[in-house]
Amino acid sequence: MEDKVRLGFLYDFYGELFDERQKRIYESFVIEDMSLSEIAEDEDISRQGVHDTIKRCTRKLNMYEDKLHLVDKFIHIRDDVRAINELALSASKDDLNKICDISNNILEEL
């Protein structure tokens, strides 16, 4: 998965664990795609301060994901739901059995 996309997912799942300043800086970098200089100017801190905050936040997000695996589970379930949707559009009897298997797997994961 592309790095910025993955960071966006991680932030969507765990970003509420950051304080307001960390949220502003991280959202500016990942979501708004602002440069370190632009963020530093907005926040009235150095580029190094912005860089350190982003690095610290990224480390925390990865640590949360390593422990909780919420993003990985979400992506897996999303892929299963897409597979169900594709099978359901032109379902034969065998496809219906596959749909049941996939939906049972999703229910077990939840």
Side-chain angles (χ1 to χ4, degrees), residues 8-109:
F9 271 124
L10 291 172
Y11 183 75
D12 287 345
F13 277 83
Y14 307 114
E16 287 302 312
L17 300 172
F18 292 159
D19 63 36
E20 290 306 314
R21 182 176 166 273
Q22 290 171 322
K23 286 181 192 178
R24 279 193 318 272
I25 292 172
Y26 209 76
E27 285 176 9
S28 295
F29 181 72
V30 173
I31 297 169
E32 298 172 26
D33 202 27
M34 292 173 65
S35 71
L36 298 180
S37 297
E38 292 170 321
I39 300 167
E41 186 177 321
D42 285 353
E43 293 293 322
D44 198 29
I45 59 175
S46 67
R47 285 181 71 246
Q48 185 63 44
V50 172
H51 178 268
D52 290 346
T53 300
I54 292 167
K55 192 170 185 171
R56 221 176 5 261
C57 288
T58 300
R59 195 175 322 118
K60 282 183 182 181
L61 291 173
N62 284 314
M63 179 190 70
Y64 297 145
E65 179 61 11
D66 287 345
K67 291 179 189 251
L68 301 172
H69 307 288
L70 296 179
V71 173
D72 289 339
K73 288 177 185 175
F74 168 79
I75 291 169
H76 181 73
I77 290 170
R78 182 190 63 186
D79 292 345
D80 283 348
V81 170
R82 283 183 178 156
I84 287 172
N85 189 35
E86 288 176 19
L87 290 169
L89 291 174
S90 60
S92 66
K93 188 171 183 165
D94 287 338
D95 288 339
L96 291 174
N97 289 332
K98 290 177 186 176
I99 289 171
C100 289
D101 291 341
I102 294 170
S103 62
N104 285 332
N105 288 339
I106 291 170
L107 291 172
E108 287 176 19
E109 286 187 40

